[in-house]
Amino acid sequence: MRRYDWAGFGRMTHGEYRANLNGLGIFFGAVLGFVMAGTETLAPLDYALTLSMSAAAVICILYISASPRRIAYTLVAIFVIAMLPTALHQLLSKGAQIPPNLQPTLAVWLGITVLVEFAPRERPAAGEPAEAADGD
């Protein structure tokens, strides 16, 4: 018995891996919609800066699963998310409010993505498409 078989789940299949990533994207996309509610009242430049910085964090999170340099992108995402409030407070107009749950939302998305990305996965079987080996 392999050490991951004790719970009855074994290693993640390629389909399960893709389902995890798709589910995370859908779920956290919706959550970010709620978190960003109210930002439309920001001045146009403040709104654009908040949106740009948030998008940079999301892209870093997505790159973790799309790039062979997943450790590097994990570190970049940690840095971007950790610095997000400080950077926005420096860049935004005096009195502009950033969404209070933006950083925790991005941090949880990052954490779950890292868990999924670094969880043990099955190797693709002979004849499976090459993309079945993403991240392995």
Side-chain angles (χ1 to χ4, degrees):
M1 179 187 305
R2 294 190 312 222
R3 66 182 177 168
Y4 302 106
D5 289 341
W6 65 271
F9 293 106
R11 292 175 176 265
M12 209 180 341
T13 65
H14 179 66
E16 291 167 334
Y17 171 71
R18 285 286 165 215
N20 269 299
L21 296 180
N22 290 337
L24 287 171
I26 291 167
F27 178 77
F28 280 100
V31 171
L32 276 177
F34 289 114
V35 168
M36 296 295 283
T39 58
E40 70 275 359
T41 62
L42 292 172
L45 180 59
D46 292 337
Y47 177 75
L49 288 169
T50 302
L51 210 53
S52 297
M53 296 286 293
S54 301
V58 169
I59 289 167
C60 288
I61 292 169
L62 295 176
Y63 275 12
I64 293 167
S65 297
S67 172
R69 294 173 294 280
R70 59 190 179 171
I71 293 173
Y73 280 114
T74 298
L75 296 174
V76 170
I78 290 168
F79 178 78
V80 168
I81 293 168
M83 295 306 297
L84 187 66
T86 302
L88 285 174
H89 282 298
Q90 293 295 316
L91 294 171
L92 300 184
S93 303
K94 184 175 178 146
Q97 296 294 315
I98 65 169
N101 292 321
L102 180 59
Q103 186 183 37
T105 300
L106 294 169
V108 170
W109 188 357
L110 171 63
I112 296 172
T113 298
V114 168
L115 287 174
V116 168
E117 186 58 34
F118 292 95
R121 295 195 302 260
E122 289 181 357
R123 297 267 180 218
E128 264 190 84
E131 69 269 4
D134 310 22
D136 285 339

